[in-house]
Amino acid sequence: MEEMEEELKCPVCGSFYREPIILPCSHNLCQACARNILVQTPESESPQSRRASGSGVSDYDYLDLDKMSLYSEADSGYGSYGGFASAPTTPCQKSPNGVRVFPPAMPPPATHLSPALAPVPRNSCITCPQCHRSLILDDRGLRGFPKNRVLEGVIDRYQQSKAAALKCQLCEKAPKEATVMCEQCDVFYCDPCRLRCHPPRGPLAKHRLVPPAQGRVSRRLSPRKVSTCTDHELENHSMYCVQCKMPVCYQCLEEGKHSSHEVKALGAMWKLHKSQLSQALNGLSDRAKEAKEFLVQLRNMVQQIQENSVEFEACLVAQCDALIDALNRRKAQLLARVNKEHEHKLKVVRDQISHCTVKLRQTTGLMEYCLEVIKENDPSGFLQISDALIRRVHLTEDQWGKGTLTPRMTTDFDLSLDNSPLLQSIHQLDFVQMKVPATPILQLEECCTHNNSATLSWKQPPLSTVPAEGYILELDDGNGGQFREVYVGKETMCTVDGLHFNSTYNARIKAFNKTGVSQYSKTLVLQTSEVAWFAFDPGSAHADIIFSNDNLTVTCSSYDDRVVLGKTGFSKGVHYWELTVDRYDNHPDPAFGVARVDVMKDVMLGKDDKAWAMYVDNNRSWFMHDNSHTSRTEGGIAKGATIGVLLDLNRKTLTFFINDEQQGPIAFENVEGLFFPAVSLNRNVQVSAVPPRVRAASARSASKAARGWYVSP
């Protein structure tokens, strides 16, 4: 549990929290420390003046940092308000744990009252030393902040587990061993501090002083204080406000600011938040386990680097000893090179071990603290800190993201000795430097095209000894233009989508490493499909659309029209496709055409400006775009009818066919851009897309191909 100790220490005094309070930002402070860092604000910024002017509605008003220079961007510390004689500029100080805090402008008056009960200067402001958020206190002062009883319980258990001698809590430097404890003040004193701070006279004469060990037992056995409402101090917490995320009492619900908020049972929310924190801890625990395994891997790498270094040095010495005396002068230089590489690798790995160890210690400390918090049986106290803990756990888990647990250094030495030069070249003897990789070889048997996609595969030459760190794939624009990079990475296979149909592309590949890039491979010529084929796309369709037959057949579960798109988009060339009506009941009017990817899916196709369609019933058809109906044409559809769609992007026209006959004139002109096949239908219609091989077999397809606007595959 020692790794949890930092979670239990105040950011101001650096000691264990004493009577911790929870700030609205979810951070904690000792009550005494909170009072010590209070700053008096101008009268115009007080909550009373804000309420009087109608500009403030909350109990705690966060300061406008543009107007109030509490926080200094230059040194990330705190400064006093400028321009007020009562608040001279005071340099910021650092707490024992390194957090910058603002010292009090005036020393607090001597008083025997607790920090919460002692009077607070009028218009006081407090700034969180961890997140730097500032707020102005209301009339309740520090009593307006809830106490973190869960944190007190965790600290108590932690201190008991340490089983160390109790120390005086008031010694300023090195705490002395405590000799007594005051049961009323709940403070451990050494003899000098007792005589100075707790004299046996006046009201303090009635306090009961007991030995430290007895005081520890009485503190542990004393009943936990019941949580009371900060707004209604005589009322206990009984419900949980979902909107404000805090426990409330019944008076808050009847007459307070929570009267119109959603509330839930305190016990139910306590169990829910405990469950959420436990689930978050499960993910963080997995990350911690991975980190431990990663540390083992790094430590093994140190040993492996040591072994590889010894082996490499032995090989080098054996090669150098076989050469003439002139080689011995060169041998020392080569060994120095190896040792330098050796030390570099060790330094990198050890630095990563150190960094990962620190992060793991922090993660483990947070986990242990959260587990101790879960053990608490105080619902309201738990709920006061559960949200902040859950966010911290998720944030810590994200910090162990991809790449954190990856070694920064390999164990291999990328050096080899070339002992083939002649004796007269002995003075040029050196390690073979890292060379550029060999030119990749395209694996033609695995390269192919499908519709407007191309898949390419490549590999390194079989005898290549220089490794490649990655590859760069380049394609031209399909018109013989300049090449452009479409993929950079370590994989040896890549699929490029979104190419033009009926186009010829040139592709080439090159390898790279730290030294440079290889030569380009041979250029591969790729021909995309002349005729596009598609299935319907479940990912972009309306939720009421029902798919079957490998997404070639669609219907709908609703009586309203719903839109479904094809998976393939067209932006160039001439494209023709057909759909058959498998079921047609009660004379509905389905629509067929093309659409943009962001077309409305819950209305008939053509109702918005993102679709161009023909809708048809059993007697006639209309063309529709942007809810404009044109060209009523006699002739409808029935079960078994075939609807053809011809999209000619060369001529920028869209034409429709029913049962091999053109339906009306050219439906739309000046159509350009990226279009997807589209259909809208309701539950009375079922439609299937016709595969290209079926269309190519018909005489109709052949005749249209002869006319130049349809190309058979």
Side-chain angles (χ1 to χ4, degrees):
M1 297 176 64
E2 294 181 357
E3 295 174 334
M4 182 179 63
E5 187 168 311
E6 291 302 320
E7 297 281 342
L8 309 180
K9 291 186 177 180
C10 174
V12 176
C13 64
S15 302
F16 288 112
Y17 287 104
R18 294 196 65 253
E19 300 182 354
I21 59 175
I22 307 175
L23 301 181
C25 59
S26 300
H27 293 127
N28 301 284
L29 285 177
C30 301
Q31 272 193 350
C33 295
R35 181 176 181 81
N36 287 340
I37 63 174
L38 290 178
V39 177
Q40 191 167 4
T41 65
E43 180 66 25
S44 60
E45 294 294 332
S46 67
Q48 294 87 349
S49 63
R50 289 192 177 189
R51 281 193 290 268
S53 63
S55 61
V57 296
S58 62
D59 290 344
Y60 293 99
D61 299 309
Y62 281 100
L63 294 178
D64 183 352
L65 296 183
D66 292 332
K67 298 179 181 178
M68 301 299 189
S69 57
L70 272 178
Y71 175 66
S72 171
E73 295 181 355
D75 61 359
S76 299
Y78 293 83
S80 63
Y81 292 104
F84 298 95
S86 61
T89 302
T90 305
C92 61
Q93 299 177 351
K94 284 190 176 181
S95 69
N97 63 352
V99 177
R100 292 180 182 268
V101 297
F102 183 82
M106 297 294 294
T111 177
H112 298 302
L113 297 176
S114 68
L117 299 178
V120 172
R122 180 181 178 83
N123 303 335
S124 294
C125 163
I126 188 171
T127 300
C128 175
Q130 291 182 284
C131 67
H132 310 315
R133 294 186 68 182
S134 301
L135 55 93
I136 300 175
L137 276 63
D138 61 9
D139 295 336
R140 295 174 296 174
L142 296 179
R143 291 183 293 104
F145 299 116
K147 294 183 178 180
N148 194 339
R149 299 186 312 281
V150 173
L151 180 57
E152 284 185 299
V154 174
I155 294 174
D156 190 32
R157 289 198 299 272
Y158 178 78
Q159 291 179 326
Q160 294 172 21
S161 67
K162 301 290 285 188
L166 293 173
K167 300 294 184 181
C168 176
Q169 294 176 293
L170 297 182
C171 289
E172 294 183 355
K173 295 183 178 179
K176 300 179 181 179
E177 186 172 346
T179 57
V180 295
M181 174 198 171
C182 176
E183 289 188 337
Q184 284 71 33
C185 299
D186 194 21
V187 175
F188 291 93
Y189 298 94
C190 64
D191 287 334
C193 291
R194 176 178 60 82
L195 294 176
R196 185 178 70 255
C197 303
H198 200 286
R201 60 180 179 271
L204 299 179
K206 298 181 180 180
H207 288 196
R208 182 171 179 239
L209 303 179
V210 297
Q214 180 181 345
R216 169 186 278 178
V217 173
S218 62
R219 174 187 284 184
R220 184 169 67 248
L221 297 179
S222 61
R224 184 66 54 85
K225 296 179 181 179
V226 178
S227 172
T228 58
C229 179
T230 55
D231 294 328
H232 311 93
E233 298 182 355
L234 299 180
E235 301 296 334
N236 297 336
H237 289 146
S238 57
M239 299 294 288
Y240 180 81
C241 178
V242 177
Q243 181 174 337
C244 300
K245 297 183 178 181
M246 61 181 295
V248 295
C249 68
Y250 81 94
Q251 275 193 269
C252 292
L253 304 180
E254 291 183 353
E255 59 190 40
K257 61 183 180 181
H258 305 280
S259 58
S260 61
H261 296 177
E262 178 187 0
V263 295
K264 292 188 178 181
L266 196 65
M269 293 302 296
W270 173 44
K271 293 180 180 179
L272 175 62
H273 281 227
K274 273 198 172 185
S275 174
Q276 292 176 350
L277 182 56
S278 298
Q279 292 176 1
L281 279 177
N282 289 336
L284 186 59
S285 176
D286 293 339
R287 291 294 186 182
K289 182 179 178 181
E290 294 176 5
K292 291 178 180 178
E293 296 174 352
F294 180 62
L295 283 174
V296 173
Q297 179 185 355
L298 291 179
R299 294 188 178 100
N300 291 337
M301 287 180 64
V302 172
Q303 180 64 26
Q304 191 172 357
I305 290 174
Q306 298 277 16
E307 295 174 356
N308 289 350
S309 175
V310 172
E311 180 181 354
F312 191 83
E313 290 178 10
C315 179
L316 178 62
V317 170
Q319 291 176 339
C320 290
D321 288 344
L323 301 176
I324 60 177
D325 293 342
L327 275 175
N328 290 328
R329 293 189 297 270
R330 190 65 174 166
K331 180 175 64 176
Q333 299 177 9
L334 298 177
L335 283 173
R337 293 274 303 278
V338 174
N339 288 330
K340 183 178 180 180
E341 180 72 9
H342 167 213
E343 294 299 327
H344 173 67
K345 288 180 177 289
L346 288 181
K347 183 179 183 303
V348 172
V349 175
R350 285 170 176 164
D351 289 346
Q352 193 171 9
I353 289 175
S354 175
H355 175 75
C356 193
T357 301
V358 172
K359 183 176 289 187
L360 179 61
R361 184 185 302 114
Q362 295 172 350
T363 300
T364 305
L366 177 59
M367 290 171 55
E368 292 176 352
Y369 172 59
C370 292
L371 290 174
E372 290 298 321
V373 170
I374 291 178
K375 296 178 183 178
E376 285 296 310
N377 295 323
D378 183 359
S380 61
F382 178 86
L383 291 173
Q384 288 173 338
I385 65 174
S386 59
D387 282 318
L389 283 179
I390 292 172
R391 289 193 300 270
R392 286 189 60 191
V393 168
H394 284 305
L395 179 61
T396 304
E397 181 183 2
D398 292 339
Q399 292 175 352
W400 288 104
K402 184 177 181 182
T404 306
L405 303 182
T406 302
R408 300 173 184 170
M409 180 61 64
T410 63
T411 60
D412 297 328
F413 284 75
D414 300 327
L415 301 169
S416 61
L417 187 65
D418 183 5
N419 57 1
S420 60
L422 299 174
L423 186 60
Q424 59 267 28
S425 301
I426 197 83
H427 67 280
Q428 298 177 348
L429 184 64
D430 198 354
F431 288 109
V432 176
Q433 297 296 321
M434 184 71 174
K435 298 180 179 179
V436 297
T439 303
I441 299 175
L442 288 165
Q443 301 190 84
L444 300 180
E445 65 278 6
E446 296 183 16
C447 298
C448 63
T449 59
H450 176 71
N451 268 342
N452 60 339
S453 299
T455 299
L456 295 96
S457 177
W458 58 89
K459 64 180 180 180
Q460 282 290 93
L463 301 179
S464 174
T465 58
V466 181
E469 295 182 1
Y471 303 89
I472 301 174
L473 174 62
E474 296 181 356
L475 262 69
D476 66 5
D477 60 359
N479 289 320
Q482 293 184 348
F483 283 87
R484 67 187 189 280
E485 294 182 0
V486 296
Y487 171 77
V488 178
K490 297 181 179 180
E491 301 297 332
T492 58
M493 178 174 288
C494 176
T495 297
V496 183
D497 297 316
L499 303 177
H500 294 303
F501 286 93
N502 195 23
S503 299
T504 301
Y505 287 87
N506 295 310
R508 61 187 185 184
I509 186 77
K510 61 182 177 181
F512 67 87
N513 58 17
K514 293 180 180 178
T515 304
V517 296
S518 69
Q519 297 294 321
Y520 284 106
S521 67
K522 294 182 179 180
T523 301
L524 179 65
V525 179
L526 301 167
Q527 176 67 49
T528 55
S529 300
E530 294 179 337
V531 175
W533 177 235
F534 64 90
F536 292 107
D537 183 15
S540 62
H542 193 279
D544 293 338
I545 297 294
I546 301 172
F547 296 82
S548 59
N549 189 24
D550 293 332
N551 298 335
L552 296 178
T553 300
V554 291
T555 185
C556 182
S557 61
S558 172
Y559 284 104
D560 297 320
D561 290 302
R562 301 292 186 245
V563 173
V564 57
L565 302 180
K567 284 188 174 181
T568 303
F570 312 128
S571 60
K572 176 184 176 183
V574 180
H575 308 282
Y576 177 84
W577 62 92
E578 292 178 345
L579 305 107
T580 59
V581 180
D582 302 329
R583 179 168 53 82
Y584 187 77
D585 303 324
N586 301 323
H587 308 305
D589 48 353
F592 309 85
V594 297
R596 310 287 191 193
V597 69
D598 55 347
V599 66
M600 295 175 60
K601 307 297 194 311
D602 55 354
V603 296
M604 177 184 288
L605 194 67
K607 286 284 187 179
D608 61 359
D609 62 349
K610 302 295 192 302
W612 294 256
M614 174 188 73
Y615 69 94
V616 56
D617 59 16
N618 61 318
N619 291 321
R620 60 192 67 85
S621 66
W622 294 262
F623 302 144
M624 183 165 61
H625 169 65
D626 199 12
N627 205 26
S628 174
H629 309 251
T630 60
S631 303
R632 169 176 167 174
T633 305
E634 295 299 319
I637 61 173
K639 178 180 179 181
T642 299
I643 293 86
V645 181
L646 173 63
L647 177 62
D648 188 343
L649 291 172
N650 294 337
R651 300 178 180 176
K652 302 179 181 180
T653 61
L654 180 64
T655 309
F656 296 94
F657 298 82
I658 296 180
N659 296 329
D660 296 344
E661 298 296 329
Q662 183 171 327
Q663 184 75 356
I666 293 177
F668 301 100
E669 297 180 340
N670 298 321
V671 290
E672 55 184 341
L674 178 63
F675 300 93
F676 292 83
V679 176
S680 68
L681 71 174
N682 62 18
R683 65 182 301 166
N684 292 317
V685 184
Q686 178 173 299
V687 172
S688 294
V690 180
R693 59 181 179 271
V694 176
R695 300 204 308 265
S698 67
R700 179 191 69 257
S701 298
S703 64
K704 290 174 181 175
R707 294 202 295 268
W709 46 260
Y710 172 72
V711 181
S712 173

